[in-house]
């Protein structure tokens, strides 16, 4: 169903335009406030519609020319049509709105957003494969958009994509489902397939430092490395590492600034230990907690590599490991998108550190968690880091001080 002359008046958290059709809220991707568009209704629900822009009749001054030929079909990024400065303001306002409406927190401090390169920054990408096609799925479909290049992925990844395409053209009956490409100081590929029997043929076309099949080591390096300033980190196939190296350096520098000299630091959801190790020269000692044993193995190796003798790691579920922990000056939390469980928040309040540094990739769950934590803590500062330009994601660091120390 086509509806003409729909006025876009706002955006949601994912950067989708919001208009009204027949007085029903309608979400329209790739549109901006103050634009007028003809919209095809793709889904009708009781309280809202989903639509797709058919024709742009009135254009926002914040719209820009798209450099990616796949953008309007590919699901890899979602706000590439916005001028970059507008993207940054959108992300900043989104965080402020979520903190106010969800967390009931009025932001009295000026929120800065730190930015970097807007293209060719991403060091890890997972692509889907069907026969000789490689790319991302079109939103809400099973159709793979066949790509030659991804302009938000770094040059090493794009070179590997070219080589993979040559392999796929030669061997379209390859049985590959997905392929993960990591390109740090060295490169790593992880092929996901129920029945892949062309490893030797694949190696002839695609050069990589480390090769895995279904998370199992095949050949090359078992761990690849990446540098954050002067720190060297080993990364296993299933270990998490920040996907924008240059911006991660700025993020970690800011965290280090907010760790006091000789602090006893607790690093929750520590992954490969990168944050704890990065602040180790400033802190008295650090305890890192992470549930993935492979990541903890990397963390221990990274501590040795970087001469961080004042850090130790526990492998286990965060809320279980927190039970007996006391006398901590600063807690650093970098949880997954779902945020902190009520149990973890209660343990943090029980430990009662002087400071909490909360690193979040989702301002909705951040706002929910800060609503609880700010009963005992004041927000000293919030700073945003645009680790994912041209997507609606933004990294947020909140620095909290215990209220009882400020009386």
């Amino acid at each position: 169903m086509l509806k003409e002359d729909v006025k876009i008046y706002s955006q949601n958290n994912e950067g989708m335009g919001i208009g009204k059709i027949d007085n029903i809220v309608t979400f329209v991707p790739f549109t901006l406030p103050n634009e007028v568009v003809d919209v095809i209704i793709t889904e009708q629900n009781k309280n809202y519609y989903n639509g797709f822009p058919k024709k742009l009749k009135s254009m926002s001054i914040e719209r820009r020319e798209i450099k990616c030929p796949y953008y309007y079909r590919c699901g890899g990024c979602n706000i590439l049509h916005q001028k970059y400065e507008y993207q940054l303001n959108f992300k900043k306002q989104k965080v402020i709105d979520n903190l106010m409406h969800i967390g009931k927190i009025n932001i009295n401090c000026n929120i800065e957003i730190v930015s970097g390169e807007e293209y060719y920054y991403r060091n890890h990408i997972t692509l889907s494969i069907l026969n000789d096609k490689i790319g991302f799925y079109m939103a809400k479909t099973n159709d793979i958009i066949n790509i030659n290049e991804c302009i938000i992925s770094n040059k090493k990844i794009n070179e590997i994509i070219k080589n993979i395409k040559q392999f796929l053209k030669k061997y379209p009956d390859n049985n590959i489902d997905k392929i993960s490409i990591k390109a740090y100081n060295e490169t790593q590929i992880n092929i996901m397939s129920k029945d892949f029997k062309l490893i030797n043929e694949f190696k002839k076309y695609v050069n990589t430092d480390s090769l895995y099949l279904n998370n199992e080591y095949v050949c090359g390096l078992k761990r690849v490395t990446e540098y954050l300033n002067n720190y060297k980190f080993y990364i296993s196939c299933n270990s998490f590492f920040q996907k924008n190296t240059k911006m991660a350096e700025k993020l970690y520098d800011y965290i280090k600034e907010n760790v006091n000299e000789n602090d006893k630091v607790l690093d929750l959801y520590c992954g490969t230990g990168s944050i704890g190790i990065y602040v180790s020269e400033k802190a008295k000692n650090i305890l890192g907690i992470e549930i993935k044993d492979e990541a903890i193995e990397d963390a221990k190796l990274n501590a040795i590599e970087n001469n961080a003798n004042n850090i130790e790691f526990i492998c286990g579920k965060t809320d279980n490991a927190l039970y007996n922990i006391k006398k901590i000056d600063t807690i650093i939390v970098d949880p997954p998108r779902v945020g902190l469980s009520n149990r973890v928040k209660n343990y943090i309040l029980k430990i009662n550190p002087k400071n909490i540094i909360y690193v979040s990739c989702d301002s909705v769950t951040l706002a929910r968690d800060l609503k609880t934590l700010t009963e005992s803590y004041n927000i000293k500062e919030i700073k945003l880091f645009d680790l994912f330009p041209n997507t609606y994601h933004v990294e947020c660091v909140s620095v909290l001080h215990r209220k009882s120390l400020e009386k």
Side-chain angles (χ1 to χ4, degrees), residues 311-322:
I311 188 166
E312 62 176 303
F313 299 98
I314 295 174
C315 183
K317 195 174 179 182
T318 301
D319 47 5
N320 293 334
L322 284 173

Side-chain angles (χ1 to χ4, degrees), residues 215-243:
N215 302 318
E216 297 293 329
Y217 171 75
V218 175
C219 63
L221 300 171
K222 287 192 174 181
R223 292 179 173 90
V224 290
T225 62
E226 181 62 304
Y227 288 87
L228 294 176
N229 285 323
N230 296 322
Y231 298 90
K232 180 179 179 181
F233 296 98
Y234 290 94
I235 309 157
S236 293
C237 180
N238 291 311
S239 295
F240 170 80
F241 197 79
Q242 295 288 354
K243 293 181 175 63

Side-chain angles (χ1 to χ4, degrees), residues 16 21 26-30 39-43 49-54 140:
M16 296 175 66
I21 295 176
T26 304
F27 299 102
V28 188
F30 314 124
V39 176
I40 297 173
I41 299 174
T42 57
E43 183 181 359
Y49 294 162
N50 284 318
F52 194 85
K54 175 68 174 176
K140 298 183 180 180

